[in-house]
């Protein structure tokens, strides 16, 4: 396991010097990120690093299952962060990024495994439609294949939920905001993007 204190020293000595100018400017002027990224809390998914995003470039919301509750059904940290970002920051794109082998999606498909965690159960219920769609569209699938299909359905469901936010709808109607669906494959580092015109997922190359 990495010694995090040593990691901080390494950052101070080897990385911060190259970011000093940018960070000093960001401290002075405040953040102006143009992208809001919604990802899973999973420790294997290092989104900013995978996407090559530097300081000040991504406003990030992470939670179990990269879930965006429907605006009318839940008020909490996720909804508040999204509302803040879209209303105050110059966000032009919201990316929802799921990932393969997602424990939240596995739990969504098997809710009996989270019976002893009422908060988790409640949280996952905001996206239970993804599990229903995953099963319905892929009746012959089980195990890993079903989890993969449901991971993708879940990301698309969260784009639908984003459209229930009045601030998101308003900016989309003005043509000032775009929604993007990605899935990060932790096993090979590929990021798949959903093409809504063709209804297909394809790796970003
Ligand atoms: Zn996950």
């Amino acid at each position: 396991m990495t010694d995090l204190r040593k990691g901080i020293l390494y950052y101070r000595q080897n990385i911060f010097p190259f970011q000093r100018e940018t960070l000093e400017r960001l401290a002075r002027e405040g953040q102006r990120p143009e992208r809001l990224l919604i990802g899973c809390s999973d420790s294997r998914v290092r989104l900013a690093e995978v996407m090559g995003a530097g300081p000040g470039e991504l406003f990030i919301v992470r939670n179990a299952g990269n879930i965006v509750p429907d605006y009318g059904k839940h008020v909490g940290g996720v909804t508040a962060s999204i509302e803040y970002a879209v209303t105050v920051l110059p966000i032009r794109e919201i990316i929802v990024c799921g990932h393969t082998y997602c424990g939240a999606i596995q739990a969504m498909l098997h809710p009996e495994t989270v019976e002893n965690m009422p908060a988790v159960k409640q949280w996952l219920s905001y996206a239970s439609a993804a599990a229903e769609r995953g099963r319905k569209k892929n009746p012959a699938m089980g195990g890993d294949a079903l989890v993969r299909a449901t991971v993708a359905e879940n990301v698309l469901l969260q784009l639908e939920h984003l459209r229930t936010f009045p601030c998101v709808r308003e900016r989309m109607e003005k043509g000032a905001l775009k929604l993007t669906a990605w899935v990060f494959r932790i096993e090979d580092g590929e990021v798949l993007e959903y093409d809504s015109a063709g209804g297909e997922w394809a790796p970003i190359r």
Side-chain angles (χ1 to χ4, degrees):
M1 194 160 58
T2 305
D3 182 335
L4 296 182
R5 283 168 183 80
K6 279 189 188 153
I8 291 169
L9 287 181
Y10 181 85
Y11 167 76
R12 293 280 309 134
Q13 287 166 0
N14 302 293
I15 298 170
F16 179 77
F18 296 99
Q19 296 180 343
R20 180 191 294 273
E21 231 172 276
T22 307
L23 285 165
E24 282 176 352
R25 181 179 52 76
L26 287 168
R28 243 184 356 258
E29 299 173 1
Q31 61 168 340
R32 304 276 298 156
E34 295 183 357
R35 291 193 175 89
L36 163 60
L37 177 68
I38 299 163
C40 185
S41 300
D42 194 300
S43 63
R44 298 164 295 180
V45 182
R46 302 174 71 192
L47 294 173
E49 194 180 54
V50 168
M51 294 162 195
E57 291 188 329
L58 283 179
F59 193 83
I60 303 181
V61 174
R62 295 182 71 161
N63 65 70
N66 42 271
I67 290 169
V68 177
D70 183 288
Y71 191 78
K73 291 195 180 145
H74 172 82
V75 172
V78 172
T79 41
S81 299
I82 293 168
E83 190 170 68
Y84 170 79
V86 173
T87 307
V88 175
L89 303 174
I91 300 295
R92 293 187 295 125
E93 183 176 20
I94 305 177
I95 301 159
V96 178
C97 187
H99 69 95
T100 53
Y101 299 97
C102 182
I105 300 300
Q106 287 167 21
M108 219 182 270
L109 288 162
H110 302 282
E112 70 281 1
T113 59
V114 292
E115 277 304 334
N116 62 335
M117 294 180 275
V120 174
K121 192 180 167 191
Q122 172 76 23
W123 179 248
L124 297 179
S125 76
Y126 297 127
S128 56
E132 287 160 26
R133 288 181 198 178
R135 280 217 165 88
K136 207 170 171 182
K137 282 194 191 169
N138 310 283
M141 276 186 193
D144 186 38
L146 180 60
V147 174
R148 273 170 197 273
T150 307
V151 162
E153 287 298 330
N154 181 57
V155 171
L156 298 180
L157 177 69
Q158 306 323 320
L159 295 195
E160 287 174 33
H161 289 172
L162 279 169
R163 293 190 194 97
T164 67
F165 284 58
C167 57
V168 170
R169 241 185 356 242
E170 195 192 311
R171 304 249 312 151
M172 287 189 75
E173 278 162 14
K174 287 181 186 159
L177 183 65
K178 178 187 167 193
L179 304 185
T180 298
W182 284 353
V183 169
F184 174 59
R185 280 204 313 227
I186 58 177
E187 67 276 24
D188 65 3
E190 292 269 27
V191 177
L192 309 179
E193 180 164 37
Y194 184 71
D195 167 23
S196 54
E200 297 277 337
W201 291 86
I204 294 172
R205 293 278 163 79

